[in-house]
Coordinates of all heavy atoms in Angstrom, one line a residue:
K24 N 175.2 97.9 110.4 CA 176.3 97.1 110.4 C 176.2 96.1 111.5 O 176.5 94.9 111.4 CB 177.5 97.9 110.5 CG 178.8 97.0 110.4 CD 180.1 97.8 110.2 CE 181.3 96.8 110.1 NZ 182.5 97.6 109.8
V25 N 175.8 96.6 112.7 CA 175.6 95.8 113.9 C 174.5 94.7 113.7 O 174.7 93.6 114.1 CB 175.2 96.6 115.1 CG1 174.7 95.8 116.3 CG2 176.4 97.6 115.6
R26 N 173.5 95.0 112.9 CA 172.4 94.1 112.6 C 172.7 93.2 111.4 O 171.9 92.5 110.9 CB 171.1 94.9 112.2 CG 170.6 95.6 113.5 CD 169.6 96.7 113.1 NE 168.8 97.2 114.2 CZ 169.3 98.2 115.1 NH1 170.5 98.6 114.8 NH2 168.6 98.6 116.0
H27 N 173.9 93.3 110.8 CA 174.5 92.5 109.6 C 173.6 92.7 108.4 O 173.4 91.9 107.6 CB 174.5 91.0 110.0 CG 175.3 90.8 111.3 ND1 176.7 90.9 111.2 CD2 175.0 90.5 112.5 CE1 177.2 90.6 112.4 NE2 176.3 90.4 113.2
V28 N 173.1 93.9 108.3 CA 172.2 94.3 107.1 C 173.2 94.7 106.0 O 174.1 95.5 106.1 CB 171.2 95.5 107.4 CG1 170.5 95.8 106.2 CG2 170.4 95.0 108.6
P29 N 173.1 94.0 104.8 CA 173.8 94.4 103.6 C 173.6 95.9 103.2 O 172.4 96.3 103.2 CB 173.4 93.5 102.5 CG 172.8 92.3 103.3 CD 172.2 92.9 104.5
T30 N 174.6 96.7 103.1 CA 174.5 98.1 102.7 C 175.4 98.5 101.5 O 176.5 97.9 101.3 CB 174.9 98.9 103.9 OG1 176.2 98.6 104.4 CG2 173.9 98.9 105.0
V31 N 175.0 99.5 100.8 CA 175.7 100.0 99.7 C 175.8 101.6 99.8 O 174.8 102.1 99.9 CB 175.0 99.8 98.2 CG1 175.9 100.2 97.1 CG2 174.7 98.2 98.1
S32 N 177.0 102.1 99.8 CA 177.2 103.5 99.9 C 177.3 104.1 98.6 O 178.0 103.5 97.7 CB 178.5 103.9 100.8 OG 179.6 103.4 100.1
I33 N 176.8 105.2 98.4 CA 177.0 106.1 97.2 C 177.5 107.4 97.6 O 176.7 108.2 98.2 CB 175.7 106.1 96.4 CG1 175.2 104.7 95.9 CG2 176.0 107.0 95.1 CD1 173.9 104.8 95.2
T34 N 178.8 107.7 97.4 CA 179.3 108.9 97.8 C 180.3 109.5 96.7 O 180.6 108.8 95.7 CB 180.2 108.7 99.1 OG1 181.3 107.9 98.8 CG2 179.4 108.0 100.1
R35 N 180.8 110.7 97.0 CA 181.9 111.1 96.1 C 183.2 110.3 96.3 O 183.4 109.6 97.3 CB 182.2 112.6 96.3 CG 182.7 113.0 97.6 CD 182.9 114.5 97.7 NE 183.3 114.9 98.9 CZ 183.8 116.1 99.2 NH1 183.9 117.1 98.4 NH2 184.1 116.5 100.5
Q36 N 184.0 110.3 95.3 CA 185.2 109.5 95.2 C 186.3 109.9 96.2 O 187.4 110.4 95.7 CB 185.7 109.4 93.8 CG 186.5 108.1 93.5 CD 186.7 108.0 92.0 OE1 187.0 108.9 91.3 NE2 186.6 106.8 91.5
K37 N 186.1 109.9 97.4 CA 187.1 110.4 98.4 C 187.1 109.4 99.5 O 186.1 108.6 99.8 CB 186.6 111.9 99.0 CG 186.7 112.9 97.9 CD 188.1 113.2 97.6 CE 188.1 114.5 96.6 NZ 189.6 114.8 96.3
E38 N 188.1 109.5 100.3 CA 188.2 108.7 101.6 C 187.0 109.2 102.6 O 186.8 110.4 102.8 CB 189.5 108.9 102.4 CG 189.5 108.4 103.8 CD 190.7 108.9 104.6 OE1 191.7 109.4 103.9 OE2 190.7 108.7 105.8
N39 N 186.1 108.3 103.0 CA 185.1 108.7 103.8 C 184.7 107.5 104.7 O 184.8 106.3 104.3 CB 183.8 109.2 103.0 CG 183.1 108.3 102.1 OD1 182.3 107.5 102.6 ND2 183.6 108.1 100.9
T40 N 184.0 107.9 105.9 CA 183.7 106.9 106.9 C 182.5 106.0 106.4 O 182.6 104.7 106.7 CB 183.3 107.4 108.2 OG1 184.5 108.4 108.6 CG2 183.2 106.5 109.3
L41 N 181.5 106.5 105.8 CA 180.4 105.8 105.3 C 180.8 104.6 104.4 O 180.4 103.6 104.5 CB 179.4 106.6 104.6 CG 178.2 106.0 104.0 CD1 177.4 105.2 105.0 CD2 177.3 106.8 103.2
A42 N 181.7 104.8 103.4 CA 182.1 103.9 102.4 C 182.8 102.7 103.3 O 182.7 101.6 102.8 CB 183.0 104.4 101.4
Q43 N 183.5 103.0 104.3 CA 184.3 102.1 105.1 C 183.4 101.2 105.9 O 183.6 100.0 106.2 CB 185.2 102.8 106.0 CG 186.3 103.5 105.2 CD 187.2 104.4 106.1 OE1 187.1 104.3 107.4 NE2 187.6 105.5 105.5
L44 N 182.2 101.7 106.3 CA 181.2 101.0 107.0 C 180.3 100.0 106.2 O 179.8 99.0 106.8 CB 180.3 101.9 107.8 CG 180.9 102.7 109.0 CD1 179.9 104.0 109.3 CD2 181.3 101.8 110.1
C45 N 180.2 100.4 104.9 CA 179.3 99.6 104.1 C 179.9 98.4 103.5 O 181.1 98.3 103.3 CB 178.6 100.5 103.0 SG 177.5 101.8 103.6
T46 N 179.0 97.4 103.1 CA 179.5 96.2 102.6 C 179.9 96.4 101.1 O 180.7 95.6 100.5 CB 178.5 95.1 102.7 OG1 177.2 95.5 102.2 CG2 178.4 94.7 104.2
Q47 N 179.3 97.3 100.4 CA 179.6 97.7 99.0 C 179.7 99.1 98.8 O 179.0 99.8 99.5 CB 178.7 96.9 98.0 CG 178.7 95.4 98.0 CD 178.1 94.9 96.8 OE1 178.4 95.1 95.6 NE2 177.1 94.0 97.0
R48 N 180.4 99.6 97.7 CA 180.6 101.0 97.5 C 180.4 101.4 96.1 O 181.0 100.7 95.2 CB 182.0 101.4 98.0 CG 182.3 101.0 99.4 CD 183.7 100.7 99.7 NE 183.9 99.9 100.9 CZ 183.8 98.7 101.0 NH1 183.6 97.9 99.8 NH2 183.9 98.0 102.1
L49 N 179.7 102.5 95.9 CA 179.7 103.0 94.5 C 180.1 104.5 94.6 O 179.8 105.1 95.7 CB 178.3 103.1 93.9 CG 177.8 101.7 93.5 CD1 176.3 101.7 93.3 CD2 178.5 101.0 92.5
Y50 N 180.7 105.1 93.6 CA 181.3 106.4 93.7 C 180.8 107.4 92.6 O 180.6 106.8 91.4 CB 182.7 106.4 93.7 CG 183.4 105.7 94.9 CD1 183.8 104.4 94.8 CD2 183.5 106.4 96.1 CE1 184.3 103.7 95.9 CE2 184.1 105.7 97.2 CZ 184.4 104.4 97.1 OH 185.0 103.7 98.2
I51 N 180.8 108.6 92.8 CA 180.5 109.6 91.7 C 181.7 110.5 91.7 O 182.4 110.6 92.6 CB 179.3 110.4 92.0 CG1 179.4 111.2 93.5 CG2 178.0 109.5 92.0 CD1 178.6 112.5 93.4
S52 N 181.9 111.2 90.6 CA 183.0 112.1 90.4 C 182.4 113.5 90.5 O 181.3 113.8 89.9 CB 183.7 111.9 89.0 OG 184.3 110.7 88.9
T53 N 183.1 114.4 91.1 CA 182.6 115.8 91.3 C 183.8 116.7 90.9 O 184.9 116.3 90.9 CB 182.2 116.1 92.6 OG1 183.3 116.0 93.6 CG2 181.0 115.2 93.1
V54 N 183.4 118.0 90.6 CA 184.4 119.0 90.3 C 184.0 120.3 91.2 O 182.9 120.6 91.2 CB 184.4 119.4 88.9 CG1 185.3 120.6 88.6 CG2 184.9 118.3 87.9
E55 N 184.9 120.7 91.9 CA 184.6 121.9 92.7 C 185.2 123.1 92.0 O 186.3 123.3 91.8 CB 185.4 121.8 94.1 CG 184.9 120.5 94.9 CD 185.5 120.4 96.2 OE1 186.3 121.4 96.7 OE2 185.2 119.5 96.9
I56 N 184.3 124.1 91.8 CA 184.6 125.3 91.1 C 184.6 126.5 92.1 O 183.6 126.7 92.8 CB 183.6 125.6 90.0 CG1 183.6 124.4 89.0 CG2 184.0 126.9 89.2 CD1 182.6 124.6 87.9
E57 N 185.7 127.2 92.2 CA 185.9 128.2 93.2 C 185.2 129.6 92.8 O 184.9 129.7 91.6 CB 187.3 128.4 93.6 CG 187.9 127.1 94.2 CD 189.3 127.4 94.7 OE1 189.9 128.5 94.4 OE2 190.0 126.5 95.3
S58 N 184.9 130.4 93.7 CA 184.1 131.6 93.5 C 184.8 132.6 92.5 O 184.1 133.3 91.8 CB 183.8 132.4 94.7 OG 185.1 132.7 95.4
D59 N 186.2 132.5 92.4 CA 186.8 133.5 91.5 C 186.8 133.0 90.1 O 187.1 133.8 89.2 CB 188.4 133.5 92.0 CG 189.1 132.2 91.8 OD1 188.3 131.2 91.8 OD2 190.3 132.2 91.8
V60 N 186.2 131.8 89.8 CA 185.9 131.4 88.4 C 184.6 131.8 87.9 O 184.4 132.3 86.8 CB 186.1 129.8 88.4 CG1 185.8 129.3 87.0 CG2 187.5 129.4 88.8
L61 N 183.5 131.5 88.6 CA 182.2 131.8 88.2 C 181.5 132.9 89.0 O 180.4 133.4 88.7 CB 181.2 130.6 88.3 CG 181.6 129.3 87.5 CD1 180.7 128.2 87.8 CD2 181.5 129.7 86.1
G62 N 182.2 133.5 90.0 CA 181.6 134.5 90.8 C 180.9 133.9 92.0 O 180.3 134.7 92.8
T63 N 180.8 132.6 92.0 CA 180.2 131.9 93.2 C 180.8 130.5 93.3 O 181.2 129.9 92.1 CB 178.6 131.9 93.0 OG1 178.1 131.2 94.2 CG2 178.2 131.1 91.8
E64 N 180.8 129.9 94.5 CA 181.3 128.5 94.5 C 180.3 127.5 94.0 O 179.1 127.8 94.2 CB 181.6 128.2 96.0 CG 182.8 128.9 96.5 CD 183.2 128.5 97.9 OE1 182.6 127.7 98.5 OE2 184.1 129.1 98.5
Y65 N 180.7 126.5 93.3 CA 179.8 125.5 92.7 C 180.4 124.2 92.7 O 181.7 124.0 92.5 CB 179.4 126.0 91.3 CG 178.5 124.9 90.7 CD1 177.1 125.0 90.9 CD2 178.9 124.0 89.8 CE1 176.2 124.2 90.3 CE2 178.0 123.1 89.2 CZ 176.7 123.2 89.5 OH 175.8 122.3 88.9
Q66 N 179.6 123.2 93.1 CA 180.1 121.8 93.0 C 179.2 121.0 92.2 O 178.1 121.0 92.4 CB 180.3 121.3 94.5 CG 180.9 119.9 94.5 CD 181.5 119.6 95.8 OE1 182.7 119.3 95.9 NE2 180.8 119.8 96.9
S67 N 179.7 120.4 91.1 CA 178.9 119.6 90.3 C 178.3 118.4 90.9 O 179.0 117.7 91.7 CB 179.7 119.1 89.0 OG 180.8 118.3 89.4
T68 N 177.1 118.0 90.6 CA 176.3 116.9 91.3 C 175.6 116.0 90.3 O 175.0 115.1 90.7 CB 175.4 117.5 92.4 OG1 174.5 118.3 91.6 CG2 176.0 118.2 93.5
T69 N 175.7 116.4 89.0 CA 174.9 115.6 88.1 C 175.4 114.1 88.0 O 174.6 113.3 87.6 CB 175.2 116.2 86.6 OG1 174.7 117.7 86.7 CG2 174.3 115.5 85.6

């Protein structure tokens, strides 16, 4: 940003500092599954 380089963030769809720093933003949707559901914590990333 200091160098005025155009940047694009790709993050999950939440408030986050990286997206605020970048000139353009793309988002992914995720689902957090807790351990009592599958026996282990899992977060979708596809």
Side-chain angles (χ1 to χ4, degrees):
K24 186 173 184 178
V25 169
R26 291 164 173 78
H27 304 290
V28 177
T30 50
V31 182
S32 65
I33 302 179
T34 66
R35 62 178 175 172
Q36 202 169 42
K37 295 287 185 180
E38 172 193 343
N39 68 85
T40 307
L41 175 61
Q43 296 162 26
L44 289 169
C45 290
T46 51
Q47 295 197 59
R48 303 150 200 88
L49 295 170
Y50 297 98
I51 61 152
S52 298
T53 62
V54 174
E55 297 181 6
I56 304 174
E57 297 184 356
S58 58
D59 59 344
V60 176
L61 295 178
T63 183
E64 291 186 357
Y65 180 78
Q66 190 154 229
S67 61
T68 56
T69 303

